[in-house]
Amino acid sequence: MDSMQLFTRQTKAISTARRSLLIIESIPGIQFSEIVDVELGTGEVRSGQVIEVGKGTTVVQVFGGVSEVDLLDSKVRYKGETLKLPLSPDILGRIFDGSGKPIDGGPAIISQKYQDINGVPANPASRMPPAEFIETGISAIDGLNVLVRGQKLPIFSGSGLPHNKIAAQIIRQASLKGKSDDFAIVFGAIGVSYDDAAYFINNLEETGALSRAVGFINTASSPVIERLSTPRLALTAAEYLAWEMDMHVLVILTDITNYADALRELAAMRGEIPSRRGYPGYMYTDLASLYERAGRISGREGSVTILPILTMPDDDITHPIPDLTGYITEGQIVLSRPLDRKRIYPPIDVFLSLSRMMKEGIGEGKTREDHNNVFMQSYAMYAEGNYLREITTVIGSEALTDRDKVYLEAADRFERDFIAQAEHSRRTVEETLSVAWDIFSMLPEEDLKLINEKYIKKYLPESSESE
Amino acid sequence: MGKIWRISGPVIIAEDMRGSQVYEVVEIGEERLNGEIIGLEQDKAVIQVYEDTVGLTVGEKVTRTGEILMAELGPGLVGNIYDGVQRSLVTMKNEVGDFLHRGVRTHALDRDKKWRFTPALKAGAKVEGGDIIGTVQETGLIEHRIMVPPGMSGVIDSIEEGDYTVEETVAMLGSNGKTRPLSLMQRWPARKPRPYRRRFDPVDLLVTGTRIIDYLFPLALGGKAAIPGGFGTGKTVNLQQMARWSQTQLNIYVGCGERGNEMADVLHSFKELKDPGSGRYLQEKEIFIANTSNMPVVAREISIFIGITMAEYYRDMGYDILLVADSTSRWAEAMREIGARLEETPGEEGFPTYLGSRLSAFYERSGKVECLGSPDRVGSATVIGAVSPPGADFSEPVTQNTLRIVDALYSLDVALANRRHFPTINWLQSYSQYADSVDAWWEKVSPDYTEVRNQALITLQKEAELEEIVRLVGPEALPENDKLLLLIARMIREDFLMQSAYHPVDTYSDPKRSHLMLSTIMKFNDFAGGLAEAGMMVSEISASRIKQRISRMKDVPNDEIDQYIDSIRQDMAGGAVSLEEGGV
Ligand SMILES: Nc1ncnc2c1ncn2[C@@H]1O[C@H](COP(=O)(O)OP(=O)(O)OP(=O)(O)O)[C@@H](O)[C@H]1O
Ligand SMILES: [Mg+2]
């Protein structure tokens, strides 16, 4: 086989065109899963993917459907190769479409290095557990749902909630505590509106981060099939920057819901038996093939941190998209419509939110010795206040004891002072912790039983009610 | 030699395969990808491929190996990390680097490493399958007992102490005029249970160190349990805790279709943490299987069987083994995906109709047994599987099929997770059918175990009933005795059931410590009842010093806990006095 010569081969032997599928005569060398060009009689070219190869026939799924494909004049061209992305340091500062072509008016990337966009799984024995605290400046994250380098932590949002603002704030503010080395940003826009994509690009531009960013943009009007390649291109670029250029990379992928819907659409067109709500049974594995590309590798400098954004259909966290995502990612930041209505920004529901890598990233030498205790006590306090809030809607607050009323007030303050902060406010983790301690000082000291006594002595502000 | 005839995802069909057998291992294409025949029709073989099939093309060669999928068993398993088809990930890391490229082949057991073999028998000894012919110190914690493979017997012609690789002959076995070499390694088909003499009922507690399990819903050595829960409810952390602290000789951690970072965390922490009994690194009593969600799907299916085969092998040496599998749902999904490719008629939610039987083929390999061979010995394999129900809805097929098989259920609760009450094992929904049989074990720790356990369970049950009233009328409207019950129930929940995996002391609670904690809370119940009768308000009791001291029990190190509890109990005994002094 002559692999140096990348000439394409073609066939006109198309026997069937139905739904989105073409059945063609098998041609030697055509590979399972490769991307092919389908040229119509009119000269129009569509892409397609080989989804089954047999001895006599090969099945190709045509992106954009088979309308106008005729069995006489159309041809299928193939390379005997799967989709690859050219890589070089020059990708920084550039913007590409969902097939990897530049759309910023700049030149094509010239490189010897073409990387298969599906990536190769990291050996679990080579991975290093993520442990370096990323200070986002947002208390609900830094205090309670810590993000660390190499983690995959999605934002579960709903339509109309400020997920883009929060993601932009994280991009602007994220840094390693006490260090100034910046993240490289890889941005993958999947089926989003032009405005949403522009919002991020402009944001990067304004903060001067564009020169260390790479964008892959598939807008709502771009081909549906490229919704599947866009995040893979983005992650391939991220892996290159992290593992070969030693950079710390923050990947923003938005909106995973569009990705999953594209997956569903294409599966349905193949006539596959669907699983929950019409999504394919292999969606868990498919999503994992994206999210699992986050991480750290021992002995390598860089890291890939992934922050996917998804909008939960009907705000339903049990919907397969957030559900399967939550089963793969290392936690989730969940936005709450009720908090948003109360005009609390960022409207982060701290009960539903979780960071599984938190314990690695906090504590003495990383954030502060009392962090874990403050975290646990905050939840206990806020949970109690919330519970009481719930029962007072039935019984009224008169039926509460004085102690209970303190908890109600503490929960309110927790939302107002701890969770809420301005879009441009950047709190250090120490500031975040001291807001929590201020609120703890409202409670009877004996209730702080999740906090080690020595930290109470050290950090609890003089009680306001110490008459 | 066959040729690829069709490729459809992880399943391929090869032609010219006459003479092959189902479950035979094959090698595919230039890269010699690993596959296993799962069906035959005339000259065609349906093959599931254990590696990514992207880029394969029709006509590439398919080579038969003549062997079915075997697990390699011998010294060197402990401390190792395997992928789903038992390739050593450590070896792969050293030989091919940080990423898992296709077609790499490695042995499960190192072929060069020498092990010191000490014979237990002399030449002339008559042996049969299961007999121990000698030992190898595999790690500081595991004495590897070299056994005659099941089904073989004869007379030992020669046997010699020395340093051997796993393939070298350590003894010659003569039977019917023929002699066969015995080495440190044996192989066993992963899908087939290993034989034993007979089964026993599981009656001995498997100490896990997690209080709610050991005390309320105990697991027995040789038992089988499931731990279902929505995402983020603590399945992995619970399984990790059990794999860390369980009082077994060896644990097997099967990560099946889960996270790479999580595996990295397990691997690293087991290198650093020490076994509470021996003070040695946990890695010395652990085997890992890591087939993460981005690794080939098909390998998930076999990974579980490889794991349980290793568990049985060490069980056969007379050890107590715990195998945890995270997550059996990903395993079931792999079967669903293969089934769909084969165009089988699907059962519920697309899962194959044989889902239930495949699940029991796994869980039924747990058990406490009298092993084959001499000397006489008893071993056990305990199995715990995580289940990840979509949308945390337990009515789905994998959870339901699992519940029909297991004897203990640890039902994880999303609401508790949201409140950060860990472990989130729901005390009203979980159960253990071993509770009655391990009673006798517990009563040796303390004769009042059964009474304390029942009292606690009843209190929690009553709390749930009262909770409904509280939501209607508020806590203040309750009579004092109900308020007291709520207080005690809360203490049981917060001061006993809650147990952080990350607490330096409390992460592991031995049975005695657990008993001291709960019985002290129940004693406080009696004490507080007395105070309430004497006219003290529950709100005052709740703010008392004694109660605060109880709520700090978890922080007290093991070597101080007796004294700490003693002093609380003494103060309760002298309670009336301190009440007057306002210092309860
Ligand atoms: N016993 C525990 N002590 C302290 N924290 C816990 C405990 N159990 C769970 N957690 C917390 O809950 C988080 C989620 O737990 P875990 O990762 O085990 O969930 P899971 O059920 O395995 O989820 P998934 O199905 O998505 O894998 C952990 O990262 C940890 O923060
Ligand atoms: Mg888990």
Side-chain angles (χ1 to χ4, degrees):
Chain A
M1 227 187 301
D2 189 354
S3 58
M4 291 307 290
Q5 221 174 338
L6 276 179
F7 63 82
T8 47
R9 291 159 276 196
Q10 63 181 36
T11 178
K12 290 182 73 173
I14 302 175
S15 63
T16 311
R18 187 155 35 90
R19 288 190 290 200
S20 67
L21 305 183
L22 289 185
I23 299 180
I24 62 170
E25 171 200 67
S26 283
I27 10 190
I30 193 162
Q31 291 191 353
F32 172 65
S33 198
E34 80 166 279
I35 303 290
V36 299
D37 283 343
V38 179
E39 190 183 319
L40 311 191
T42 59
E44 185 194 341
V45 178
R46 290 183 198 160
S47 24
Q49 185 170 25
V50 176
I51 60 169
E52 199 176 299
V53 193
K55 188 171 186 187
T57 55
T58 291
V59 185
V60 171
Q61 177 158 37
V62 185
F63 312 139
V66 297
S67 64
E68 294 172 72
V69 171
D70 60 305
L71 303 184
L72 288 178
D73 285 335
S74 305
K75 13 180 197 280
V76 174
R77 273 200 301 269
Y78 69 103
K79 300 194 185 85
E81 199 180 74
T82 50
L83 188 57
K84 296 195 165 63
L85 177 71
L87 292 165
S88 93
D90 298 339
I91 58 172
L92 286 169
R94 302 295 307 275
I95 301 190
F96 305 88
D97 70 5
S99 70
K101 298 192 186 80
I103 49 170
D104 53 2
I109 299 296
I110 312 224
S111 168
Q112 301 299 314
K113 192 178 177 63
Y114 278 75
Q115 195 73 44
D116 187 317
I117 66 164
N118 291 306
V120 183
N123 184 337
S126 293
R127 284 183 184 263
M128 212 165 69
E132 297 142 301
F133 175 70
I134 296 173
E135 195 174 75
T136 66
I138 298 173
S139 292
I141 298 177
D142 295 352
L144 308 177
N145 294 288
V146 158
L147 174 68
V148 298
R149 270 181 179 171
Q151 185 174 12
K152 39 194 181 290
L153 188 65
I155 299 179
F156 287 8
S157 186
S159 43
L161 295 177
H163 44 266
N164 287 345
K165 252 195 205 176
I166 296 170
Q169 187 172 5
I170 294 174
I171 294 177
R172 246 187 346 260
Q173 302 185 165
S175 65
L176 269 207
K177 190 173 148 54
K179 287 194 197 151
S180 59
D181 57 342
D182 283 321
F183 282 95
I185 309 289
V186 174
F187 174 61
I190 309 159
V192 300
S193 70
Y194 177 80
D195 290 350
D196 278 353
Y199 173 84
F200 278 99
I201 304 291
N202 293 340
N203 232 288
L204 289 170
E205 220 159 11
E206 276 160 29
T207 55
L210 197 56
S211 61
R212 48 182 172 88
V214 194
F216 294 87
I217 313 275
N218 164 275
T219 61
S221 57
S222 330
V224 171
I225 182 65
E226 290 179 6
R227 312 239 200 292
L228 303 192
S229 48
T230 304
R232 294 188 164 81
L233 289 163
L235 290 162
T236 304
E239 285 175 340
Y240 168 74
L241 296 173
W243 311 140
E244 289 175 42
M245 304 289 296
D246 292 342
M247 300 176 89
H248 293 288
V249 187
L250 181 62
V251 186
I252 312 280
L253 299 174
T254 183
D255 179 329
I256 294 296
T257 301
N258 297 332
Y259 174 87
D261 285 348
L263 202 65
R264 174 171 68 175
E265 190 179 326
L266 296 170
M269 285 196 284
R270 294 174 189 178
E272 289 174 354
I273 306 161
S275 177
R276 296 218 155 188
R277 302 213 201 178
Y279 293 93
Y282 49 79
M283 190 155 88
Y284 171 84
T285 301
D286 187 280
L287 288 173
S289 74
L290 303 180
Y291 299 142
E292 275 295 320
R293 292 170 80 170
R296 299 226 53 185
I297 303 279
S298 46
R300 298 191 194 219
E301 261 307 301
S303 61
V304 176
T305 307
I306 309 184
L307 205 77
I309 298 172
L310 62 85
T311 44
M312 299 183 278
D314 289 330
D315 291 353
D316 176 10
I317 198 166
T318 69
H319 183 282
I321 300 172
D323 189 53
L324 294 179
T325 296
Y327 269 123
I328 303 163
T329 52
E330 284 122 6
Q332 64 279 337
I333 304 291
V334 184
L335 304 190
S336 141
R337 208 166 287 282
L339 282 182
D340 187 55
R341 283 204 197 100
K342 284 201 223 167
R343 316 223 136 264
I344 287 180
Y345 173 90
I348 295 176
D349 182 325
V350 300
F351 295 117
L352 296 180
S353 301
L354 165 72
S355 166
R356 301 171 195 234
M357 305 264 104
M358 173 144 177
K359 74 167 194 326
E360 328 291 339
I362 64 171
E364 204 173 346
K366 293 177 173 166
T367 54
R368 206 171 75 181
E369 51 183 358
D370 57 324
H371 195 155
N372 189 45
N373 285 189
V374 168
F375 154 79
M376 292 201 296
Q377 192 69 56
S378 298
Y379 269 98
M381 172 186 78
Y382 188 39
E384 173 111 26
N386 249 296
Y387 164 75
L388 292 165
R389 214 188 251 166
E390 240 172 69
I391 62 172
T392 51
T393 57
V394 181
I395 59 170
S397 58
E398 309 78 50
L400 296 182
T401 62
D402 288 343
R403 176 184 173 278
D404 291 346
K405 287 179 188 147
V406 171
Y407 273 88
L408 268 186
E409 167 65 14
D412 285 341
R413 271 197 63 193
F414 194 70
E415 289 171 5
R416 264 192 344 256
D417 299 347
F418 186 91
I419 298 179
Q421 71 188 84
E423 194 188 337
H424 284 272
S425 112
R426 175 182 193 159
R427 293 188 194 148
T428 64
V429 67
E430 289 81 5
E431 284 165 344
T432 288
L433 293 175
S434 67
V435 178
W437 278 107
D438 271 343
I439 303 171
F440 294 162
S441 70
M442 301 168 62
L443 307 180
E445 197 177 312
E446 69 263 19
D447 280 13
L448 301 180
K449 59 183 183 181
L450 296 172
I451 306 187
N452 192 306
E453 278 161 328
K454 67 177 188 244
Y455 302 143
I456 296 182
K457 283 205 191 79
K458 191 158 164 192
Y459 297 107
L460 188 68
E462 283 304 308
S463 167
S464 44
E465 34 161 30
S466 56
E467 325 96 75
Chain B
M1 193 172 63
K3 287 202 288 288
I4 298 183
W5 185 77
R6 198 179 118 182
I7 307 160
S8 169
V11 173
I12 67 166
I13 296 179
E15 58 182 350
D16 296 341
M17 295 293 287
R18 228 174 269 278
S20 23
Q21 50 170 325
V22 174
Y23 290 145
E24 181 174 345
V25 175
V26 294
E27 293 175 351
I28 300 143
E30 289 301 325
E31 291 171 290
R32 295 168 67 208
L33 307 187
N34 226 312
E36 186 183 19
I37 297 177
I38 53 174
L40 290 168
E41 208 180 311
Q42 299 187 350
D43 79 321
K44 299 211 170 54
V46 183
I47 298 164
Q48 53 179 9
V49 187
Y50 288 122
E51 295 179 79
D52 198 351
T53 54
V54 167
L56 285 182
T57 187
V58 165
E60 288 193 64
K61 66 179 181 200
V62 176
T63 317
R64 290 172 46 199
T65 62
E67 276 195 348
I68 62 172
L69 208 126
M70 300 271 198
E72 279 189 4
L73 304 167
L77 293 172
V78 179
N80 218 322
I81 309 160
Y82 294 106
D83 77 353
V85 287
Q86 218 197 2
R87 286 184 295 193
S88 166
L89 292 170
V90 180
T91 313
M92 284 170 80
K93 177 184 174 197
N94 296 337
E95 288 177 4
V96 292
D98 297 331
F99 295 91
L100 296 172
H101 295 280
R102 295 192 303 194
V104 177
R105 34 204 58 240
T106 72
H107 294 293
L109 298 176
D110 190 332
R111 292 298 191 266
D112 300 326
K113 188 171 161 101
K114 296 253 184 195
W115 299 92
R116 182 89 200 155
F117 171 72
T118 313
L121 301 174
K122 292 202 175 72
K126 254 184 87 171
V127 294
E128 56 178 26
D131 283 1
I132 295 171
I133 61 165
T135 57
V136 162
Q137 196 66 39
E138 185 172 5
T139 68
L141 286 174
I142 298 284
E143 180 192 77
H144 197 110
R145 298 175 179 161
I146 307 299
M147 298 172 288
V148 176
M152 283 173 81
S153 62
V155 176
I156 299 282
D157 280 351
S158 63
I159 185 166
E160 205 166 328
E161 171 155 9
D163 296 320
Y164 298 95
T165 68
V166 290
E167 285 177 317
E168 284 167 351
T169 302
V170 298
M172 291 302 288
L173 181 66
S175 84
N176 301 330
K178 278 190 275 184
T179 52
R180 289 159 73 185
L182 293 178
S183 66
L184 298 180
M185 174 176 81
Q186 49 177 285
R187 304 171 82 224
W188 187 260
R191 294 176 194 281
K192 191 170 148 190
R194 283 174 63 89
Y196 49 82
R197 228 179 252 156
R198 65 189 172 111
R199 263 178 114 95
F200 296 110
D201 284 339
V203 292
D204 292 318
L205 182 74
L206 181 140
V207 177
T208 67
T210 298
R211 279 192 290 275
I212 183 166
I213 294 180
D214 292 351
Y215 212 97
L216 297 190
F217 310 109
L219 187 56
L221 289 171
K224 46 186 191 289
I227 174 160
F231 67 79
T233 49
K235 296 179 292 297
T236 303
V237 173
N238 275 299
L239 292 183
Q240 286 178 357
Q241 285 290 90
M242 292 189 223
R244 273 184 196 126
W245 308 131
S246 286
Q247 297 301 292
T248 42
Q249 272 92 38
L250 179 84
N251 302 322
I252 301 179
Y253 187 101
V254 185
C256 173
E258 290 291 318
R259 302 172 180 83
N261 279 338
E262 222 161 62
M263 267 331 290
D265 183 40
V266 180
L267 298 176
H268 281 252
S269 72
F270 280 68
K271 275 183 205 154
E272 282 156 16
L273 291 171
K274 288 187 174 161
D275 175 53
S278 63
R280 299 191 70 104
Y281 289 110
L282 284 174
Q283 203 183 201
E284 296 188 33
K285 54 173 282 195
E286 203 82 21
I287 304 173
F288 304 94
I289 295 182
N291 198 74
T292 56
S293 56
N294 56 339
M295 286 161 73
V297 175
V298 178
R300 283 183 209 163
E301 198 257 350
I302 194 74
S303 69
I304 297 256
F305 289 114
I306 297 271
I308 192 74
T309 303
M310 296 196 280
E312 286 174 340
Y313 173 67
Y314 283 92
R315 170 204 71 188
D316 292 345
M317 296 179 200
Y319 292 135
D320 293 317
I321 315 301
L322 171 68
L323 177 140
V324 302
D326 186 10
S327 160
T328 60
S329 293
R330 307 304 165 218
W331 181 61
E333 284 163 16
M335 290 187 260
R336 174 167 72 185
E337 192 171 341
I338 300 303
R341 299 282 179 177
L342 298 179
E343 289 163 17
E344 292 170 342
T345 320
E348 253 181 300
E349 290 196 20
F351 285 103
T353 46
Y354 48 81
L355 173 66
S357 58
R358 204 64 72 89
L359 277 165
S360 54
F362 161 56
Y363 281 107
E364 290 304 331
R365 289 173 73 171
S366 64
K368 178 176 166 178
V369 306
E370 187 179 311
C371 311
L372 287 186
S374 71
D376 288 345
R377 55 199 189 271
V378 173
S380 70
T382 309
V383 166
I384 310 175
V387 186
S388 317
D393 170 6
F394 287 11
S395 68
E396 58 90 37
V398 183
T399 316
Q400 287 304 313
N401 276 294
T402 304
L403 290 187
R404 270 181 232 130
I405 300 166
V406 296
D407 289 322
L409 170 73
Y410 305 114
S411 168
L412 302 188
D413 186 334
V414 176
L416 290 177
N418 292 346
R419 269 168 33 203
R420 303 310 194 253
H421 172 111
F422 291 117
T424 66
I425 297 172
N426 181 303
W427 45 90
L428 301 175
Q429 286 160 13
S430 301
Y431 58 76
S432 165
Q433 285 170 14
Y434 305 110
D436 291 340
S437 35
V438 301
D439 256 13
W441 189 98
W442 262 110
E443 306 225 322
K444 278 183 260 163
V445 176
S446 170
D448 57 346
Y449 161 74
T450 310
E451 194 191 322
V452 172
R453 174 177 184 265
N454 289 343
Q455 235 186 337
L457 283 172
I458 290 167
T459 309
L460 291 168
Q461 177 61 41
K462 285 198 182 143
E463 179 195 36
E465 291 159 15
L466 279 178
E467 186 54 33
E468 289 170 24
I469 303 174
V470 170
R471 284 186 178 267
L472 292 174
V473 301
E476 274 311 282
L478 293 181
E480 286 292 298
N481 60 339
D482 283 348
K483 285 189 193 162
L484 180 61
L485 185 129
L486 288 184
L487 175 70
I488 302 301
R490 187 187 183 120
M491 290 171 72
I492 297 174
R493 282 189 287 112
E494 295 181 355
D495 304 332
F496 179 76
L497 297 181
M498 268 175 92
Q499 186 182 1
S500 171
Y502 311 132
H503 191 291
V505 175
D506 204 41
T507 180
Y508 172 74
S509 185
D510 67 28
K512 195 180 117 223
R513 180 181 171 97
S514 301
H515 177 73
L516 279 177
M517 289 172 84
L518 189 57
S519 59
T520 302
I521 295 172
M522 296 327 295
K523 287 224 158 60
F524 180 78
N525 180 34
D526 301 339
F527 167 69
L531 295 179
E533 233 158 71
M536 193 164 175
M537 305 292 286
V538 172
S539 55
E540 293 170 88
I541 296 174
S542 170
S544 68
R545 278 279 301 143
I546 286 188
K547 197 211 131 212
Q548 282 172 47
R549 279 157 64 204
I550 291 176
S551 72
R552 296 242 170 229
M553 289 186 297
K554 288 183 201 165
D555 293 331
V556 181
N558 281 325
D559 52 354
E560 293 166 26
I561 188 95
D562 281 310
Q563 207 191 350
Y564 188 86
I565 299 273
D566 243 21
S567 93
I568 294 178
R569 292 190 175 181
Q570 270 168 25
D571 286 357
M572 286 198 281
V577 184
S578 40
L579 174 63
E580 279 158 31
E581 292 162 358
V584 179

